[in-house]
């Protein structure tokens, strides 16, 4: 077994040749470095994925935290989740509007409440009560996300955090890790779909859909068309195929992504297994 493993993603999509990839890659490297620093010093998988996602949330380039997409009402509603594979404890927030770092709020729900998922104003109030940084909703505003919203509304459609008309195609973020003690963890954070209905919650904070971790099996963070990912409970389905059918990670993820495709869904995932194997398949144009 390798000492530890870490993988991150910046969402289903690609960066076109007209755009300089350097700024996007720099943020990804910073995220990896943050998670690696935790693991290499003997820290926990949970701390590593939290640290990695925090970096991505603070970047305006990704559809999480500062760079979140707009909903139909030209506001931002943020979702995030964390899961500790050692005990299968999990925490999540959905539709948060004032929490600077939703991943930290998700972890606070896991560690300081009897619940798994808090939404809307309840999530905002909980985060504030537990000392997390709070901001006005406009803090998440970015010009390129507003342009995406306008394009989507002109075409009367809801879309992933990229479109054929937009060169900047990066989105939902996530991290999975295995630490030196053999513990697995996953974290995912997103602004959801551009032009989504107010109050819509996607797969990210639904444990077993977009986020899942179980020691001895795997940790998964997904990205893509969340409603379809929820319908196939993708992350948990993959873990169960490994657990009960004895499939390897490649076979299990390929099956689930084909199920996603059969529903006209799109996206991908990152996974790390109990032995440190990393697999990052996708059916979108890129990831």
């Amino acid at each position: 077994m390798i000492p530890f493993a870490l993988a991150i993603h910046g969402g289903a999509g690609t960066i076109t040749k007209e755009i300089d990839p350097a700024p996007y890659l720099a943020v990804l490297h910073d995220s990896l470095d943050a998670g690696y620093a935790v693991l290499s010093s003997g820290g926990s998988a949970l701390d590593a994925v939290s640290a990695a996602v925090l970096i991505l949330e603070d970047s305006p380039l990704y559809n999480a935290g500062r760079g979140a997409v707009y909903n139909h009402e030209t506001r931002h509603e943020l979702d995030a989740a964390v899961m500790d594979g050692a005990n299968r404890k999990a925490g999540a927030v959905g539709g948060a509007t004032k929490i600077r770092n939703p991943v930290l709020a998700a972890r606070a729900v896991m560690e300081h409440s009897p619940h798994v998922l808090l939404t809307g104003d309840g999530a905002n109030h909980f985060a504030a009560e537990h000392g997390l940084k709070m901001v006005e909703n406009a803090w998440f505003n970015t010009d390129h996300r507003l342009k995406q919203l306008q394009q989507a509304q002109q075409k009367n459609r809801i879309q992933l955090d990229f479109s054929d008309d937009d060169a900047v195609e990066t989105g939902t973020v996530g991290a999975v890790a295995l630490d030196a003690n053999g513990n697995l963890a996953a974290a995912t954070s997103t602004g959801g779909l551009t032009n989504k209905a107010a109050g819509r919650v996607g797969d990210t904070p639904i444990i077993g859909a977009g986020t899942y971790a179980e020691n001895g099996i795997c940790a998964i963070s997904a990205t893509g068309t969340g409603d379809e990912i929820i319908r196939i409970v993708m992350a948990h389905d993959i873990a169960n195929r490994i657990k009960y059918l004895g499939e390897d990670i490649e076979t299990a993820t390929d099956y689930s992504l084909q199920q996603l495709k059969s529903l006209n869904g799109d996206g991908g995932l990152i996974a790390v297994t109990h032995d440190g194997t990393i697999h990052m398949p996708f059916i979108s144009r890129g990831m």
Side-chain angles (χ1 to χ4, degrees):
M1 178 183 290
I2 62 174
F4 54 82
L6 172 70
I8 62 171
H9 72 79
T14 59
I15 300 175
T16 65
K17 62 183 179 180
E18 291 82 9
I19 294 295
D20 179 8
Y24 304 90
L25 294 174
V27 177
L28 291 176
H29 283 298
D30 287 345
S31 173
L32 274 176
D33 287 345
Y36 179 85
V38 173
L39 294 173
S40 62
S41 62
S44 72
L46 186 63
D47 285 343
V49 296
S50 299
V53 169
L54 187 68
I55 297 294
L56 297 170
E57 284 185 339
D58 278 343
S59 169
L61 300 179
Y62 292 90
N63 178 19
R66 188 69 187 269
V69 299
Y70 290 84
N71 69 7
H72 184 70
E73 296 182 353
T74 320
R75 285 175 57 79
H76 310 277
E77 292 183 322
L78 312 180
D79 303 338
V82 298
M83 188 166 184
D84 186 349
N87 48 31
R88 281 191 276 184
K89 289 185 177 180
V93 293
T97 58
K98 297 182 179 181
I99 304 169
R100 173 169 169 164
N101 293 110
V103 69
L104 297 183
R107 184 162 178 178
V109 171
M110 181 186 74
E111 295 178 337
H112 302 297
S113 84
H115 307 302
V116 171
L117 173 61
L118 296 179
T119 64
D121 287 341
N124 293 332
H125 293 322
F126 181 87
E129 289 173 354
H130 286 80
L132 298 185
K133 291 181 180 178
M134 308 300 291
V135 294
E136 293 302 316
N137 196 253
W139 190 85
F140 304 107
N141 290 357
T142 53
D143 291 340
H144 68 283
R145 294 302 185 192
L146 183 59
K147 178 184 175 183
Q148 287 179 334
L149 175 68
Q150 293 166 346
Q151 291 173 342
Q153 290 181 334
Q154 287 171 2
K155 297 179 179 180
N156 192 31
R157 70 182 187 184
I158 300 167
Q159 63 190 36
L160 277 172
D161 36 39
F162 63 87
S163 75
D164 292 338
D165 303 319
D166 197 338
V168 181
E169 304 181 353
T170 50
T172 295
V173 305
V176 292
L178 169 74
D179 64 32
N181 293 317
N183 295 316
L184 291 162
T188 317
S189 183
T190 189
L193 297 173
T194 296
N195 200 31
K196 66 183 180 181
R200 181 263 187 186
V201 173
D203 66 293
T204 290
I206 306 301
I207 302 304
T211 308
Y212 190 73
E214 182 177 350
N215 272 19
I217 308 297
C218 63
I220 291 171
S221 173
T223 175
T225 50
D227 298 277
E228 285 69 39
I229 291 173
I230 292 171
R231 290 184 178 108
I232 65 170
V233 201
M234 188 165 74
H236 193 245
D237 182 55
I238 292 167
N240 278 349
R241 297 189 71 83
I242 296 170
K243 187 175 183 178
Y244 299 123
L245 297 180
E247 293 183 349
D248 58 29
I249 189 64
E250 292 85 0
T251 302
T253 55
D254 287 350
Y255 176 86
S256 286
L257 286 175
Q258 288 306 309
Q259 293 300 301
L260 179 63
K261 188 175 182 178
S262 74
L263 296 180
N264 296 316
D266 199 10
L269 61 96
I270 55 174
V272 61
T273 65
H274 70 283
D275 64 358
T277 300
I278 290 173
H279 190 48
M280 301 183 287
F282 56 89
I283 57 172
S284 51
R285 284 193 300 160
M287 184 170 168

